[in-house]
């Protein structure tokens, strides 16, 4: 076996390009939504059962942890949709070059942060 193979395990020296970060965030946001969508469907179902059920759902939603989880879902959704649209455009053959891929990745991440802030302002 070749003895002098390149080795780089110094994690602090490895910096991910924006497109890689965007891709990881896309998967993470998808998993976050997958986990939390059950909570939202349960809350919706409860709110639709009766006027009492609606008040109960309102009370559950007022809990800070539940509100935070709903915010997490909305923040993930905002980023996932932006990044998903980026993916769809790339699948159609637009913005596939290295430079444009970098720019759209940065735009998707920045847009995701803005949408997460707006979701927070809306919820609190
Ligand atoms: C509750 C709703 C959603 C859930 C739970 C969800 C979940 C996921 C997951 C887990 C992945 C796989 C990510 C990976 O393997 O890297 C994915 C991929 C994808 N999602 Fe979603 N998603 C949702 C909504 C959306 C919406 C609204 C869009 C519209 C833009 C979208 C666009 C995409 C695209 C284009 C991909 C493929 C990305 C690729 O080619 O790597 N998703 N989604």
């Amino acid at each position: 076996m070749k003895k002098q193979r390149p080795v780089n395990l110094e994690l602090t020296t490895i910096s991910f390009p924006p497109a890689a970060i965007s891709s990881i965030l896309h998967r993470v946001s998808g998993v976050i939504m997958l986990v939390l969508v059950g909570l939202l469907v349960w809350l919706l179902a409860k709110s639709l059962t009766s006027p009492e059920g609606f008040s109960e759902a309102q009370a559950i939603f007022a809990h800070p942890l539940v509100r935070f989880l709903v915010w997490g879902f909305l923040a993930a959704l905002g980023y996932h949709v932006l990044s998903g649209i980026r993916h769809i455009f790339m699948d159609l053959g637009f913005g596939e070059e290295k430079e444009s891929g970098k720019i759209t990745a940065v735009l998707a991440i920045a847009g995701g942060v803005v949408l997460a802030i707006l979701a927070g302002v809306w919820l609190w």
Side-chain angles (χ1 to χ4, degrees), residues 6-36:
V7 175
N8 185 0
L9 293 178
E10 190 64 59
L11 290 180
T12 50
T13 65
I14 302 172
S15 66
F16 288 105
I21 297 169
S22 165
S23 174
I24 293 165
L25 287 177
H26 189 82
R27 180 167 289 190
V28 170
S29 60
V31 173
I32 289 175
M33 288 192 296
L34 204 62
V35 172
L36 293 180

PDB file of all heavy atoms in Angstrom, residues 6-36:
ATOM      1  N   PRO A   6      -2.461  11.099   1.031  1.00  0.00           N
ATOM      2  CA  PRO A   6      -2.857  12.361   1.679  1.00  0.00           C
ATOM      3  C   PRO A   6      -3.860  12.093   2.797  1.00  0.00           C
ATOM      4  O   PRO A   6      -4.834  11.382   2.594  1.00  0.00           O
ATOM      5  CB  PRO A   6      -3.492  13.157   0.535  1.00  0.00           C
ATOM      6  CG  PRO A   6      -3.838  12.164  -0.499  1.00  0.00           C
ATOM      7  CD  PRO A   6      -2.931  10.985  -0.336  1.00  0.00           C
ATOM      8  N   VAL A   7      -3.568  12.605   3.974  1.00  0.00           N
ATOM      9  CA  VAL A   7      -4.464  12.422   5.111  1.00  0.00           C
ATOM     10  C   VAL A   7      -4.797  13.805   5.667  1.00  0.00           C
ATOM     11  O   VAL A   7      -3.920  14.624   5.829  1.00  0.00           O
ATOM     12  CB  VAL A   7      -3.788  11.567   6.217  1.00  0.00           C
ATOM     13  CG1 VAL A   7      -4.681  11.483   7.446  1.00  0.00           C
ATOM     14  CG2 VAL A   7      -3.488  10.184   5.684  1.00  0.00           C
ATOM     15  N   ASN A   8      -6.073  14.063   5.883  1.00  0.00           N
ATOM     16  CA  ASN A   8      -6.425  15.339   6.501  1.00  0.00           C
ATOM     17  C   ASN A   8      -7.569  15.108   7.476  1.00  0.00           C
ATOM     18  O   ASN A   8      -8.730  15.194   7.135  1.00  0.00           O
ATOM     19  CB  ASN A   8      -6.828  16.355   5.426  1.00  0.00           C
ATOM     20  CG  ASN A   8      -7.072  17.716   6.031  1.00  0.00           C
ATOM     21  OD1 ASN A   8      -6.942  17.879   7.243  1.00  0.00           O
ATOM     22  ND2 ASN A   8      -7.435  18.700   5.229  1.00  0.00           N
ATOM     23  N   LEU A   9      -7.189  14.794   8.697  1.00  0.00           N
ATOM     24  CA  LEU A   9      -8.214  14.549   9.698  1.00  0.00           C
ATOM     25  C   LEU A   9      -8.358  15.721  10.661  1.00  0.00           C
ATOM     26  O   LEU A   9      -9.064  15.646  11.641  1.00  0.00           O
ATOM     27  CB  LEU A   9      -7.904  13.267  10.475  1.00  0.00           C
ATOM     28  CG  LEU A   9      -7.988  11.988   9.640  1.00  0.00           C
ATOM     29  CD1 LEU A   9      -7.616  10.781  10.472  1.00  0.00           C
ATOM     30  CD2 LEU A   9      -9.374  11.795   9.052  1.00  0.00           C
ATOM     31  N   GLU A  10      -7.645  16.813  10.364  1.00  0.00           N
ATOM     32  CA  GLU A  10      -7.741  18.015  11.206  1.00  0.00           C
ATOM     33  C   GLU A  10      -9.050  18.705  10.831  1.00  0.00           C
ATOM     34  O   GLU A  10      -9.099  19.526   9.905  1.00  0.00           O
ATOM     35  CB  GLU A  10      -6.534  18.901  10.912  1.00  0.00           C
ATOM     36  CG  GLU A  10      -6.339  20.077  11.852  1.00  0.00           C
ATOM     37  CD  GLU A  10      -6.048  19.658  13.281  1.00  0.00           C
ATOM     38  OE1 GLU A  10      -5.054  18.949  13.504  1.00  0.00           O
ATOM     39  OE2 GLU A  10      -6.844  20.048  14.161  1.00  0.00           O
ATOM     40  N   LEU A  11     -10.119  18.347  11.576  1.00  0.00           N
ATOM     41  CA  LEU A  11     -11.452  18.805  11.156  1.00  0.00           C
ATOM     42  C   LEU A  11     -11.563  20.327  11.083  1.00  0.00           C
ATOM     43  O   LEU A  11     -12.315  20.866  10.272  1.00  0.00           O
ATOM     44  CB  LEU A  11     -12.517  18.243  12.113  1.00  0.00           C
ATOM     45  CG  LEU A  11     -12.728  16.721  11.997  1.00  0.00           C
ATOM     46  CD1 LEU A  11     -13.782  16.263  12.976  1.00  0.00           C
ATOM     47  CD2 LEU A  11     -13.121  16.315  10.593  1.00  0.00           C
ATOM     48  N   THR A  12     -10.793  21.011  11.949  1.00  0.00           N
ATOM     49  CA  THR A  12     -10.907  22.479  11.956  1.00  0.00           C
ATOM     50  C   THR A  12     -10.327  23.101  10.686  1.00  0.00           C
ATOM     51  O   THR A  12     -10.605  24.249  10.376  1.00  0.00           O
ATOM     52  CB  THR A  12     -10.180  23.070  13.179  1.00  0.00           C
ATOM     53  OG1 THR A  12      -8.866  22.505  13.216  1.00  0.00           O
ATOM     54  CG2 THR A  12     -10.922  22.778  14.474  1.00  0.00           C
ATOM     55  N   THR A  13      -9.515  22.323   9.963  1.00  0.00           N
ATOM     56  CA  THR A  13      -8.926  22.890   8.734  1.00  0.00           C
ATOM     57  C   THR A  13      -9.818  22.608   7.519  1.00  0.00           C
ATOM     58  O   THR A  13      -9.573  23.116   6.445  1.00  0.00           O
ATOM     59  CB  THR A  13      -7.530  22.281   8.451  1.00  0.00           C
ATOM     60  OG1 THR A  13      -7.696  20.884   8.170  1.00  0.00           O
ATOM     61  CG2 THR A  13      -6.597  22.470   9.630  1.00  0.00           C
ATOM     62  N   ILE A  14     -10.841  21.778   7.711  1.00  0.00           N
ATOM     63  CA  ILE A  14     -11.719  21.465   6.584  1.00  0.00           C
ATOM     64  C   ILE A  14     -12.862  22.469   6.568  1.00  0.00           C
ATOM     65  O   ILE A  14     -13.596  22.590   7.543  1.00  0.00           O
ATOM     66  CB  ILE A  14     -12.308  20.045   6.715  1.00  0.00           C
ATOM     67  CG1 ILE A  14     -11.185  19.010   6.793  1.00  0.00           C
ATOM     68  CG2 ILE A  14     -13.247  19.736   5.553  1.00  0.00           C
ATOM     69  CD1 ILE A  14     -11.666  17.610   7.125  1.00  0.00           C
ATOM     70  N   SER A  15     -13.002  23.219   5.481  1.00  0.00           N
ATOM     71  CA  SER A  15     -14.141  24.140   5.428  1.00  0.00           C
ATOM     72  C   SER A  15     -15.047  23.725   4.276  1.00  0.00           C
ATOM     73  O   SER A  15     -14.588  23.496   3.155  1.00  0.00           O
ATOM     74  CB  SER A  15     -13.666  25.581   5.252  1.00  0.00           C
ATOM     75  OG  SER A  15     -13.061  25.709   4.010  1.00  0.00           O
ATOM     76  N   PHE A  16     -16.299  23.585   4.600  1.00  0.00           N
ATOM     77  CA  PHE A  16     -17.255  23.153   3.595  1.00  0.00           C
ATOM     78  C   PHE A  16     -17.628  24.308   2.664  1.00  0.00           C
ATOM     79  O   PHE A  16     -17.845  25.429   3.133  1.00  0.00           O
ATOM     80  CB  PHE A  16     -18.527  22.638   4.261  1.00  0.00           C
ATOM     81  CG  PHE A  16     -18.349  21.313   4.950  1.00  0.00           C
ATOM     82  CD1 PHE A  16     -18.277  21.240   6.322  1.00  0.00           C
ATOM     83  CD2 PHE A  16     -18.269  20.151   4.207  1.00  0.00           C
ATOM     84  CE1 PHE A  16     -18.115  20.013   6.954  1.00  0.00           C
ATOM     85  CE2 PHE A  16     -18.107  18.921   4.831  1.00  0.00           C
ATOM     86  CZ  PHE A  16     -18.025  18.857   6.209  1.00  0.00           C
ATOM     87  N   PRO A  17     -17.747  24.061   1.372  1.00  0.00           N
ATOM     88  CA  PRO A  17     -18.222  25.113   0.466  1.00  0.00           C
ATOM     89  C   PRO A  17     -19.719  25.361   0.711  1.00  0.00           C
ATOM     90  O   PRO A  17     -20.422  24.470   1.201  1.00  0.00           O
ATOM     91  CB  PRO A  17     -17.978  24.539  -0.923  1.00  0.00           C
ATOM     92  CG  PRO A  17     -17.839  23.071  -0.741  1.00  0.00           C
ATOM     93  CD  PRO A  17     -17.378  22.826   0.667  1.00  0.00           C
ATOM     94  N   PRO A  18     -20.219  26.567   0.363  1.00  0.00           N
ATOM     95  CA  PRO A  18     -21.645  26.885   0.602  1.00  0.00           C
ATOM     96  C   PRO A  18     -22.601  25.840   0.039  1.00  0.00           C
ATOM     97  O   PRO A  18     -23.611  25.515   0.658  1.00  0.00           O
ATOM     98  CB  PRO A  18     -21.835  28.233  -0.095  1.00  0.00           C
ATOM     99  CG  PRO A  18     -20.483  28.836  -0.125  1.00  0.00           C
ATOM    100  CD  PRO A  18     -19.512  27.698  -0.234  1.00  0.00           C
ATOM    101  N   ALA A  19     -22.276  25.275  -1.142  1.00  0.00           N
ATOM    102  CA  ALA A  19     -23.188  24.296  -1.744  1.00  0.00           C
ATOM    103  C   ALA A  19     -23.304  23.048  -0.865  1.00  0.00           C
ATOM    104  O   ALA A  19     -24.374  22.448  -0.761  1.00  0.00           O
ATOM    105  CB  ALA A  19     -22.692  23.917  -3.140  1.00  0.00           C
ATOM    106  N   ALA A  20     -22.198  22.665  -0.215  1.00  0.00           N
ATOM    107  CA  ALA A  20     -22.231  21.489   0.666  1.00  0.00           C
ATOM    108  C   ALA A  20     -23.073  21.794   1.903  1.00  0.00           C
ATOM    109  O   ALA A  20     -23.895  20.970   2.322  1.00  0.00           O
ATOM    110  CB  ALA A  20     -20.815  21.106   1.070  1.00  0.00           C
ATOM    111  N   ILE A  21     -22.868  22.987   2.474  1.00  0.00           N
ATOM    112  CA  ILE A  21     -23.645  23.367   3.666  1.00  0.00           C
ATOM    113  C   ILE A  21     -25.128  23.412   3.308  1.00  0.00           C
ATOM    114  O   ILE A  21     -25.982  22.911   4.042  1.00  0.00           O
ATOM    115  CB  ILE A  21     -23.163  24.737   4.193  1.00  0.00           C
ATOM    116  CG1 ILE A  21     -21.704  24.631   4.639  1.00  0.00           C
ATOM    117  CG2 ILE A  21     -24.036  25.216   5.360  1.00  0.00           C
ATOM    118  CD1 ILE A  21     -21.041  25.948   4.925  1.00  0.00           C
ATOM    119  N   SER A  22     -25.431  24.005   2.134  1.00  0.00           N
ATOM    120  CA  SER A  22     -26.815  24.105   1.687  1.00  0.00           C
ATOM    121  C   SER A  22     -27.427  22.709   1.536  1.00  0.00           C
ATOM    122  O   SER A  22     -28.572  22.474   1.922  1.00  0.00           O
ATOM    123  CB  SER A  22     -26.841  24.863   0.359  1.00  0.00           C
ATOM    124  OG  SER A  22     -28.068  24.707  -0.267  1.00  0.00           O
ATOM    125  N   SER A  23     -26.656  21.776   0.991  1.00  0.00           N
ATOM    126  CA  SER A  23     -27.156  20.414   0.776  1.00  0.00           C
ATOM    127  C   SER A  23     -27.425  19.717   2.118  1.00  0.00           C
ATOM    128  O   SER A  23     -28.459  19.070   2.292  1.00  0.00           O
ATOM    129  CB  SER A  23     -26.119  19.640  -0.046  1.00  0.00           C
ATOM    130  OG  SER A  23     -26.501  18.307  -0.160  1.00  0.00           O
ATOM    131  N   ILE A  24     -26.498  19.880   3.059  1.00  0.00           N
ATOM    132  CA  ILE A  24     -26.681  19.251   4.382  1.00  0.00           C
ATOM    133  C   ILE A  24     -27.928  19.846   5.051  1.00  0.00           C
ATOM    134  O   ILE A  24     -28.770  19.126   5.591  1.00  0.00           O
ATOM    135  CB  ILE A  24     -25.428  19.474   5.263  1.00  0.00           C
ATOM    136  CG1 ILE A  24     -24.236  18.722   4.684  1.00  0.00           C
ATOM    137  CG2 ILE A  24     -25.689  19.031   6.698  1.00  0.00           C
ATOM    138  CD1 ILE A  24     -22.885  19.144   5.240  1.00  0.00           C
ATOM    139  N   LEU A  25     -28.060  21.179   4.971  1.00  0.00           N
ATOM    140  CA  LEU A  25     -29.215  21.835   5.596  1.00  0.00           C
ATOM    141  C   LEU A  25     -30.521  21.387   4.952  1.00  0.00           C
ATOM    142  O   LEU A  25     -31.555  21.304   5.612  1.00  0.00           O
ATOM    143  CB  LEU A  25     -29.081  23.365   5.497  1.00  0.00           C
ATOM    144  CG  LEU A  25     -28.036  24.007   6.411  1.00  0.00           C
ATOM    145  CD1 LEU A  25     -27.962  25.497   6.144  1.00  0.00           C
ATOM    146  CD2 LEU A  25     -28.365  23.741   7.875  1.00  0.00           C
ATOM    147  N   HIS A  26     -30.468  21.102   3.649  1.00  0.00           N
ATOM    148  CA  HIS A  26     -31.682  20.657   2.964  1.00  0.00           C
ATOM    149  C   HIS A  26     -32.162  19.330   3.559  1.00  0.00           C
ATOM    150  O   HIS A  26     -33.339  19.152   3.843  1.00  0.00           O
ATOM    151  CB  HIS A  26     -31.417  20.499   1.464  1.00  0.00           C
ATOM    152  CG  HIS A  26     -32.663  20.267   0.675  1.00  0.00           C
ATOM    153  ND1 HIS A  26     -33.485  21.287   0.281  1.00  0.00           N
ATOM    154  CD2 HIS A  26     -33.250  19.138   0.237  1.00  0.00           C
ATOM    155  CE1 HIS A  26     -34.512  20.794  -0.371  1.00  0.00           C
ATOM    156  NE2 HIS A  26     -34.398  19.477  -0.418  1.00  0.00           N
ATOM    157  N   ARG A  27     -31.180  18.421   3.767  1.00  0.00           N
ATOM    158  CA  ARG A  27     -31.543  17.120   4.345  1.00  0.00           C
ATOM    159  C   ARG A  27     -31.994  17.294   5.789  1.00  0.00           C
ATOM    160  O   ARG A  27     -33.005  16.729   6.208  1.00  0.00           O
ATOM    161  CB  ARG A  27     -30.341  16.176   4.270  1.00  0.00           C
ATOM    162  CG  ARG A  27     -30.656  14.817   4.839  1.00  0.00           C
ATOM    163  CD  ARG A  27     -29.604  13.806   4.495  1.00  0.00           C
ATOM    164  NE  ARG A  27     -29.628  13.437   3.090  1.00  0.00           N
ATOM    165  CZ  ARG A  27     -28.930  12.424   2.579  1.00  0.00           C
ATOM    166  NH1 ARG A  27     -28.165  11.702   3.359  1.00  0.00           N
ATOM    167  NH2 ARG A  27     -29.000  12.133   1.303  1.00  0.00           N
ATOM    168  N   VAL A  28     -31.267  18.101   6.553  1.00  0.00           N
ATOM    169  CA  VAL A  28     -31.615  18.306   7.970  1.00  0.00           C
ATOM    170  C   VAL A  28     -33.015  18.917   8.078  1.00  0.00           C
ATOM    171  O   VAL A  28     -33.848  18.462   8.870  1.00  0.00           O
ATOM    172  CB  VAL A  28     -30.566  19.211   8.662  1.00  0.00           C
ATOM    173  CG1 VAL A  28     -31.024  19.638  10.046  1.00  0.00           C
ATOM    174  CG2 VAL A  28     -29.229  18.482   8.768  1.00  0.00           C
ATOM    175  N   SER A  29     -33.307  19.930   7.225  1.00  0.00           N
ATOM    176  CA  SER A  29     -34.625  20.571   7.299  1.00  0.00           C
ATOM    177  C   SER A  29     -35.724  19.581   6.906  1.00  0.00           C
ATOM    178  O   SER A  29     -36.809  19.584   7.498  1.00  0.00           O
ATOM    179  CB  SER A  29     -34.673  21.834   6.422  1.00  0.00           C
ATOM    180  OG  SER A  29     -34.416  21.503   5.075  1.00  0.00           O
ATOM    181  N   GLY A  30     -35.431  18.700   5.949  1.00  0.00           N
ATOM    182  CA  GLY A  30     -36.413  17.682   5.557  1.00  0.00           C
ATOM    183  C   GLY A  30     -36.721  16.745   6.707  1.00  0.00           C
ATOM    184  O   GLY A  30     -37.882  16.438   6.987  1.00  0.00           O
ATOM    185  N   VAL A  31     -35.673  16.331   7.431  1.00  0.00           N
ATOM    186  CA  VAL A  31     -35.877  15.410   8.559  1.00  0.00           C
ATOM    187  C   VAL A  31     -36.626  16.123   9.697  1.00  0.00           C
ATOM    188  O   VAL A  31     -37.521  15.543  10.315  1.00  0.00           O
ATOM    189  CB  VAL A  31     -34.517  14.839   9.035  1.00  0.00           C
ATOM    190  CG1 VAL A  31     -34.686  14.022  10.306  1.00  0.00           C
ATOM    191  CG2 VAL A  31     -33.899  13.971   7.946  1.00  0.00           C
ATOM    192  N   ILE A  32     -36.279  17.391   9.948  1.00  0.00           N
ATOM    193  CA  ILE A  32     -36.978  18.154  11.007  1.00  0.00           C
ATOM    194  C   ILE A  32     -38.484  18.192  10.700  1.00  0.00           C
ATOM    195  O   ILE A  32     -39.325  17.938  11.561  1.00  0.00           O
ATOM    196  CB  ILE A  32     -36.406  19.589  11.121  1.00  0.00           C
ATOM    197  CG1 ILE A  32     -35.006  19.550  11.724  1.00  0.00           C
ATOM    198  CG2 ILE A  32     -37.320  20.485  11.972  1.00  0.00           C
ATOM    199  CD1 ILE A  32     -34.300  20.895  11.765  1.00  0.00           C
ATOM    200  N   MET A  33     -38.818  18.479   9.442  1.00  0.00           N
ATOM    201  CA  MET A  33     -40.246  18.551   9.078  1.00  0.00           C
ATOM    202  C   MET A  33     -40.916  17.194   9.208  1.00  0.00           C
ATOM    203  O   MET A  33     -42.048  17.090   9.694  1.00  0.00           O
ATOM    204  CB  MET A  33     -40.394  19.070   7.646  1.00  0.00           C
ATOM    205  CG  MET A  33     -40.073  20.537   7.526  1.00  0.00           C
ATOM    206  SD  MET A  33     -40.586  21.161   5.930  1.00  0.00           S
ATOM    207  CE  MET A  33     -39.539  20.248   4.839  1.00  0.00           C
ATOM    208  N   LEU A  34     -40.180  16.149   8.783  1.00  0.00           N
ATOM    209  CA  LEU A  34     -40.732  14.792   8.857  1.00  0.00           C
ATOM    210  C   LEU A  34     -41.104  14.451  10.305  1.00  0.00           C
ATOM    211  O   LEU A  34     -42.146  13.863  10.578  1.00  0.00           O
ATOM    212  CB  LEU A  34     -39.674  13.812   8.339  1.00  0.00           C
ATOM    213  CG  LEU A  34     -40.151  12.478   7.803  1.00  0.00           C
ATOM    214  CD1 LEU A  34     -41.046  12.684   6.600  1.00  0.00           C
ATOM    215  CD2 LEU A  34     -38.956  11.612   7.420  1.00  0.00           C
ATOM    216  N   VAL A  35     -40.230  14.860  11.242  1.00  0.00           N
ATOM    217  CA  VAL A  35     -40.473  14.548  12.656  1.00  0.00           C
ATOM    218  C   VAL A  35     -41.622  15.398  13.206  1.00  0.00           C
ATOM    219  O   VAL A  35     -42.472  14.910  13.942  1.00  0.00           O
ATOM    220  CB  VAL A  35     -39.172  14.784  13.470  1.00  0.00           C
ATOM    221  CG1 VAL A  35     -39.431  14.652  14.961  1.00  0.00           C
ATOM    222  CG2 VAL A  35     -38.086  13.798  13.038  1.00  0.00           C
ATOM    223  N   LEU A  36     -41.655  16.684  12.819  1.00  0.00           N
ATOM    224  CA  LEU A  36     -42.606  17.608  13.456  1.00  0.00           C
ATOM    225  C   LEU A  36     -43.982  17.671  12.787  1.00  0.00           C
ATOM    226  O   LEU A  36     -44.927  18.194  13.383  1.00  0.00           O
ATOM    227  CB  LEU A  36     -42.012  19.023  13.507  1.00  0.00           C
ATOM    228  CG  LEU A  36     -40.805  19.189  14.433  1.00  0.00           C
ATOM    229  CD1 LEU A  36     -40.305  20.631  14.391  1.00  0.00           C
ATOM    230  CD2 LEU A  36     -41.146  18.792  15.858  1.00  0.00           C
TER     231      LEU A  36
END
